[in-house]
Amino acid sequence: MIYSVDVRIVALVNDTEVTDRVADAVRNVFPDAEPTHEDGRLVAETHTLDAFSDVLHEQEILDTARRVFLRNSTDEGFSFALKKQAAFEGTVNFAVGDPDELGDVDVEVRVREPDVESFIDYVAPETDEGRPVDPVREYGDRFDPENGAY
């Protein structure tokens, strides 16, 4: 699928935290993003969610991700928050309700092409008994930053 998205990732860096560890948390779930430190927070941008989608497949949480994405969607895109500590371990754990004590990793996805729902289908396809129904992408199409290509 050809798509055009802008993903903005923001994570507050508390006084008690090591900035590099927060940056590692962001890179562990968004490996192609390069966080920069701005006013007590890390900000990163990327233009793909393929590696993130692979983590959703690996953890078998596509239905949960889909619900979160659709619940927080607009005509322009969708947003979600992740637990920072889980992200540091390379695990996706959606933050719902009150922010975590350490803060969350906030993610905003602006979708230019295709439409928002089609992109959500691409990242977190519908499932039947845990298996993607008619997936748009093959699991494992992860971006390899070492290789520089898909």
Side-chain angles (χ1 to χ4, degrees):
M1 165 188 261
I2 296 175
Y3 61 84
S4 177
V5 297
D6 297 315
V7 182
R8 180 173 167 83
I9 305 152
V10 178
L12 293 178
V13 180
N14 297 305
D15 294 337
T16 58
E17 294 179 299
V18 177
T19 303
D20 287 345
R21 288 181 62 97
V22 177
D24 288 343
V26 170
R27 281 191 297 264
N28 285 343
V29 288
F30 302 101
D32 57 318
E34 190 55 48
T36 58
H37 196 261
E38 297 178 7
D39 301 321
R41 62 189 182 155
L42 287 176
V43 178
E45 289 189 12
T46 184
H47 300 285
T48 180
L49 288 181
D50 287 352
F52 182 75
S53 177
D54 283 350
V55 174
L56 299 176
H57 281 81
E58 290 166 7
Q59 290 183 221
E60 299 179 351
I61 58 170
L62 294 171
D63 292 330
T64 299
R66 235 182 124 65
R67 275 192 303 276
V68 169
F69 298 163
L70 291 170
R71 182 176 39 228
N72 298 303
S73 68
T74 67
D75 289 340
E76 275 93 47
F78 58 98
S79 61
F80 57 94
L82 302 173
K83 298 288 186 183
K84 196 186 300 179
Q85 184 62 39
F88 181 74
E89 299 297 327
T91 301
V92 171
N93 187 355
F94 291 99
V96 292
D98 295 329
D100 194 62
E101 183 178 319
L102 293 175
D104 299 326
V105 176
D106 296 311
V107 182
E108 291 181 22
V109 181
R110 182 172 169 254
V111 181
R112 290 192 301 260
E113 272 185 60
D115 61 276
V116 173
E117 191 171 334
S118 295
F119 186 69
I120 290 172
D121 287 344
Y122 176 76
V123 174
E126 289 186 70
T127 66
D128 181 17
E129 296 185 19
R131 297 248 186 252
V133 176
D134 194 28
V136 178
R137 71 184 284 271
E138 292 296 319
Y139 166 67
D141 288 345
R142 181 179 290 212
F143 175 75
D144 182 357
E146 297 291 321
N147 184 354
Y150 290 123

